[in-house]
Amino acid sequence: DTEVTQTPKHLVMGMTNKKSLKCEQHMGHRAMYWYKQKAKKPPELMFVYSYEKLSINESVPSRFSPECPNSSLLNLHLHALQPEDSALYLCASSPKETNSNSNQPQHFGDGTRLSIL
Amino acid sequence: SQQGEEDPQALSIQEGENATMNCSYKTSINNLQWYRQNSGRGLVHLILIRSNEREKHSGRLRVTLDTSKKSSSLLITASRAADTASYFCATARTDSWGKLQFGAGTQVVVTP
């Protein structure tokens, strides 16, 4: 079992649907991430939250809308997705050291496998 | 562009053999990390090596880092069937806190 929990594990939605992916961690980490991973490819960074504030948006289309309601939760709201958005969406978290620019290891959830019809 | 490039893309070995995979990168880094991903699962952090370190061990894992050549290697000794997975290197660049850039990955299959 991972310490980062993602729900749902699988999601099938039509292009006109609105849905949300959820991620939760209770390790006290203050940085949280969304990644998109296509089959047989490495994860691609989408968003980074630091202390509940969006710090990095990797030019992600607005049909993906992240939200960080508190330090333990991270959501990804989906609307009007395209078939090419079908992928594994991974959430990760890491501690944040405010006085260092050294990255820490990231802890990943098992992802939500999203299929767009 | 991809920061980390890995080779080989795929590796097939028998149990008990060693597996070696390499990672090259292009820019200055704070550290380099290796992750494992089992089929249908998330990534699991294996080991982190800082830019001022040359070698690091963790159990059956040995990682080297050569910053002059901008390359790293991961050695898994005495491999087991449970080591079957994809392995990714990821670099933490000095100019982009919060970002990890992943290599293309090496798919390792260990047969009993």
Side-chain angles (χ1 to χ4, degrees):
Chain A
D1 288 343
T2 64
E3 296 169 305
V4 176
T5 304
Q6 290 188 244
T7 55
K9 292 190 186 304
H10 302 275
L11 179 62
V12 180
M13 58 187 286
M15 289 190 284
T16 58
N17 292 156
K18 286 184 181 180
K19 295 285 185 184
S20 297
L21 308 185
K22 295 186 183 302
C23 175
E24 189 168 2
Q25 59 88 14
H26 294 288
M27 295 177 283
H29 290 174
R30 303 311 297 272
M32 295 185 78
Y33 311 80
W34 280 115
Y35 289 87
K36 174 183 177 180
Q37 186 179 26
K38 300 285 265 186
K40 299 191 184 301
K41 296 291 186 182
E44 297 176 2
L45 183 67
M46 299 174 73
F47 302 104
V48 180
Y49 271 82
S50 175
Y51 289 89
E52 297 91 69
K53 289 189 178 1
L54 184 65
S55 62
I56 297 176
N57 176 341
E58 291 286 89
S59 302
V60 178
S62 60
R63 57 185 185 270
F64 295 91
S65 175
E67 178 197 18
C68 190
N70 60 57
S71 60
S72 300
L73 293 175
L74 186 65
N75 298 322
L76 186 62
H77 303 298
L78 314 173
H79 174 54
L81 294 195
Q82 303 298 308
E84 60 265 29
D85 297 323
S86 297
L88 181 67
Y89 287 84
L90 293 164
C91 173
S93 70
S94 68
K96 177 168 181 194
E97 298 176 329
T98 55
N99 295 322
S100 168
N101 61 5
S102 295
N103 291 73
Q104 296 291 314
Q106 294 184 11
H107 298 247
F108 284 80
D110 280 337
T112 294
R113 189 159 300 282
L114 177 65
S115 297
I116 307 301
L117 301 178
Chain B
S1 63
Q2 195 76 287
Q3 168 73 330
E5 299 295 334
E6 294 178 64
D7 77 273
Q9 290 186 332
L11 186 58
S12 185
I13 56 175
Q14 293 197 315
E15 269 193 327
E17 294 182 337
N18 295 343
T20 300
M21 58 209 86
N22 304 297
C23 170
S24 61
Y25 59 92
K26 296 175 183 171
T27 63
S28 178
I29 62 171
N30 281 319
N31 63 68
L32 186 143
Q33 304 176 28
W34 286 91
Y35 289 81
R36 183 189 75 227
Q37 185 175 33
N38 291 86
S39 180
R41 303 295 300 272
L43 282 74
V44 174
H45 178 260
L46 296 176
I47 197 163
L48 181 153
I49 186 164
R50 299 190 187 280
S51 58
N52 60 355
E53 297 175 311
R54 292 296 166 258
E55 188 171 314
K56 206 160 181 181
H57 297 253
S58 176
R60 293 184 296 112
L61 305 180
R62 172 176 170 256
V63 168
T64 62
L65 179 64
D66 187 334
T67 52
S68 67
K69 295 181 179 178
K70 291 186 168 56
S71 68
S72 172
S73 68
L74 171 66
L75 168 67
I76 306 172
T77 59
S79 62
R80 306 166 181 169
D83 295 327
T84 295
S86 293
Y87 292 81
F88 294 96
C89 68
T91 50
R93 289 167 48 168
T94 56
D95 61 349
S96 57
W97 190 96
K99 288 187 183 184
L100 282 181
Q101 287 192 278
F102 287 84
T106 295
Q107 192 167 3
V108 175
V109 175
V110 182
T111 52

